Amino acid sequence: MRRHGWNSGVRRWRLIAALGVAMVALALALTVLSTLPDSRVSTAGTSPDGDKVHGTPANPPLQEGPTVGWGFTHTQHSADEGARSAVIRAEKLLGERPMPQNQAIMGWGADNPEPLKGRYDFDALDRRIDFIRASGGTPVLTLCCAPDWMKGGDAGVDNTNWSQRNLEKAPDPDHYQDFANLAATVAKRYPDVRHFIVWNEFKGFWSDGKGRWDYEGYTKLYNLVHDALKKVDKGINVGGPYLVMDSVDPRQTHGASDAVGGPWGRMDQRVVDAFDYWNEHKAGADFVVVDGSSYTNDDEMLPDEFAATDKFTAVSAWIERATGDLPLWWAEYYVEPADNRDERDGWSEAHRVAVQAAALIALAKGGATSGFYWNPEDERGRACAGCLWRPTDRAGGGGALPMYGLVSRFNEEFGPDTEFTPVSVAHDDAPHVRVLADDKAALVVNTLNRTISAKVDGRRFEMQGYEVKWLKR
């Protein structure tokens, strides 16, 4: 057998004068061989120095505290790739009103960061971080998902299984520390990233045998990651548990929680149990992060799509009470049920923006300090339902779409440390107008698909159907 240019067999060892020396040499050779990468596993494009600082980090970091404001999450197709003129246009657009930008470390546009243990490939993630830096955003990283070799799969550059089922597997318990080590490597590589979310929606942590979430397993992983990041830099902000705040019909009794509810529904007791366990046993947290939809598990918007957003207020307030007023983030928030293609394009853009505005108002009223719009960017084309900007596949792409105006303005007006103030609304207008204000601006939403004459903050004005209007105060 020939490996790494060495010959094995009796003839080779006859050159050794003493048997003892031969045995020592053989042991050393086997030790060396065992530490070398398997020749059958490709390491092409990887590097052992994953913790080497990439690029030119912002110095000092843009946002040090545990709240970052309101921004968006990059998905599979984003503005870091495409026609150069379109990418530049998107960079400039985002630079006009900088927002926090969230990115997963694997999946949703990022490649496998550690195809085999100790060998790293951060090219795709580097590109996303470069785009966030170039567009003036505050970078946030979601520590999900895990390389295949941490969850029973094969190691190697060419062996990543990108199926949804495999991507959403949690690391095996024996590899929790390996995942924590990867998190620390990422933190060293991007020292200007000061905010890390641990995992995503408890993916892979459902226990079929127990019929509930494996919150013990998640919390163990969370604590290892938390401690690993704090060893890199105590100033890094770490948050979890990124649970989906599922709710059921308010009339449902089986499996429904009495912890929080309303006309929009009642919380799923299994979610409440998982949250409570993490909250009690966590090693520490600088912020709390969850996600969820305004509609129930059966896609019911109760009593309607606007009133259903009251769920965000109620759940946010409940979380704040449970966690002792830790800053609350919503990593995702949905108001429009998906169709059988998992698309959300059944509403007009005006309707979509209006309900999203109502959701942001509801989140802020509940005490949430930060939230991330899940940007459904299409890879190509001219139209893109709910997107922040036009797809960047062509030279004319990268321009603003209506949702960008809402999210960026909301962050600009109601960023971290905003103190909200009361605002008057005429009695007749109150049922169909949603309002949020501080001492400088007010956001007003018409929840009806028809023109109205509204009196808000002492001023009367006309609003088109589903119009979203900003007032100076």
Side-chain angles (χ1 to χ4, degrees):
M1 179 179 68
R2 181 180 296 271
R3 177 178 287 183
H4 301 298
W6 293 0
N7 293 317
S8 63
V10 176
R11 290 183 180 179
R12 176 175 176 84
W13 301 115
R14 284 178 180 170
L15 299 175
I16 307 299
L19 181 60
V21 175
M23 295 301 292
V24 172
L26 177 60
L28 289 172
L30 290 174
T31 299
V32 171
L33 285 171
S34 68
T35 61
L36 292 173
D38 190 327
S39 61
R40 295 168 296 177
V41 177
S42 173
T43 62
T46 66
S47 169
D49 58 350
D51 59 359
K52 181 180 179 181
V53 174
H54 168 70
T56 306
N59 188 23
L62 296 176
Q63 183 70 41
E64 290 276 14
T67 60
V68 294
W70 307 87
F72 67 93
T73 295
H74 290 277
T75 49
Q76 182 65 29
H77 306 294
S78 198
D80 57 310
E81 292 186 292
R84 184 58 186 159
S85 60
V87 171
I88 292 174
R89 186 175 294 110
E91 286 180 358
K92 291 182 177 179
L93 173 70
L94 293 170
E96 293 172 359
R97 289 178 179 166
M99 293 182 282
Q101 301 178 35
N102 180 31
Q103 171 64 46
I105 64 168
M106 179 177 175
W108 297 279
D111 293 334
N112 187 336
E114 192 177 3
L116 61 164
K117 190 170 184 177
R119 303 288 302 192
Y120 304 95
D121 177 8
F122 285 116
D123 285 353
L125 188 55
D126 286 348
R127 187 174 61 247
R128 285 281 166 98
I129 292 293
D130 288 342
F131 179 83
I132 295 172
R133 289 171 176 170
S135 57
T138 298
V140 175
L141 285 176
T142 294
L143 296 169
C144 183
C145 292
D148 291 47
W149 60 271
M150 294 187 191
K151 52 195 181 188
D154 295 329
V157 171
D158 301 322
N159 293 328
T160 300
N161 179 352
W162 287 105
S163 68
Q164 181 177 351
R165 181 178 180 181
N166 187 68
L167 181 65
E168 295 184 351
K169 285 183 178 179
D172 294 337
D174 290 345
H175 289 292
Y176 284 175
Q177 186 61 57
D178 288 320
F179 188 79
N181 294 342
L182 173 59
T185 298
V186 171
K188 293 174 183 177
R189 187 173 186 85
Y190 311 114
D192 53 335
V193 179
R194 312 297 291 171
H195 303 84
F196 289 88
I197 301 172
V198 182
W199 208 241
N200 176 306
E201 294 185 335
F202 266 48
K203 286 180 167 61
F205 283 99
W206 176 259
S207 173
D208 288 326
K210 296 179 180 179
R212 64 167 175 82
W213 294 107
D214 176 18
Y215 39 74
E216 299 96 339
Y218 169 80
T219 303
K220 183 177 180 179
L221 174 69
Y222 173 89
N223 287 342
L224 289 170
V225 172
H226 173 274
D227 292 349
L229 291 172
K230 291 296 184 177
K231 286 181 181 179
V232 173
D233 187 336
K234 291 182 179 180
I236 288 175
N237 296 278
V238 186
Y242 204 154
L243 262 170
V244 182
M245 297 288 106
D246 286 331
S247 57
V248 298
D249 189 287
R251 297 164 296 182
Q252 182 172 324
T253 56
H254 178 70
S257 174
D258 293 328
V260 57
W264 47 266
R266 299 170 68 190
M267 286 287 293
D268 188 317
Q269 184 62 51
R270 296 168 298 184
V271 174
V272 173
D273 292 342
F275 186 89
D276 286 345
Y277 183 91
W278 171 83
N279 190 36
E280 181 179 353
H281 295 89
K282 64 184 182 298
D286 300 290
F287 59 90
V288 182
V289 58
V290 297
D291 85 344
S293 60
S294 59
Y295 43 88
T296 69
N297 291 347
D298 295 322
D299 291 346
E300 294 180 297
M301 295 173 285
L302 303 172
D304 58 52
E305 69 270 37
F306 286 97
T309 64
D310 292 338
K311 170 184 174 178
F312 294 132
T313 302
V315 174
S316 295
W318 169 73
I319 292 172
E320 282 217 307
R321 291 192 299 271
T323 59
D325 292 330
L326 278 175
L328 172 60
W329 297 17
W330 283 75
E332 303 170 45
Y333 50 92
Y334 298 97
V335 298
E336 180 181 1
D339 60 19
N340 56 12
R341 300 171 294 119
D342 199 31
E343 299 286 347
R344 293 176 172 85
D345 56 7
W347 293 350
S348 69
E349 202 66 10
H351 188 185
R352 181 175 296 109
V353 171
V355 185
Q356 284 285 343
L360 287 168
I361 290 172
L363 289 167
K365 284 186 173 181
T369 64
S370 304
F372 293 86
Y373 177 71
W374 188 269
N375 186 30
E377 182 69 9
D378 285 343
E379 184 177 11
R380 59 179 61 89
R382 298 182 183 277
C384 187
C387 293
L388 298 175
W389 56 80
R390 292 183 178 83
T392 54
D393 65 306
R394 60 193 68 196
L401 290 172
M403 196 66 72
Y404 166 79
L406 170 65
V407 177
S408 62
R409 182 74 181 271
F410 194 90
N411 180 64
E412 183 179 53
E413 300 289 358
F414 303 138
D417 302 322
T418 294
E419 294 186 8
F420 296 104
T421 60
V423 58
S424 63
V425 179
H427 177 74
D428 291 344
D429 295 324
H432 49 260
V433 171
R434 296 284 174 122
V435 183
L436 183 69
D438 62 5
D439 60 350
K440 296 181 180 179
L443 172 62
V444 187
V445 181
N446 177 11
T447 66
L448 300 178
N449 188 20
R450 62 174 176 81
T451 301
I452 64 172
S453 176
K455 187 176 183 181
V456 178
D457 207 24
R459 287 172 281 179
R460 182 165 292 281
F461 47 85
E462 186 175 277
M463 297 187 74
Q464 301 301 312
Y466 295 142
E467 184 176 356
V468 175
K469 183 184 288 292
W470 290 91
L471 306 176
K472 290 184 179 181
R473 303 188 76 191

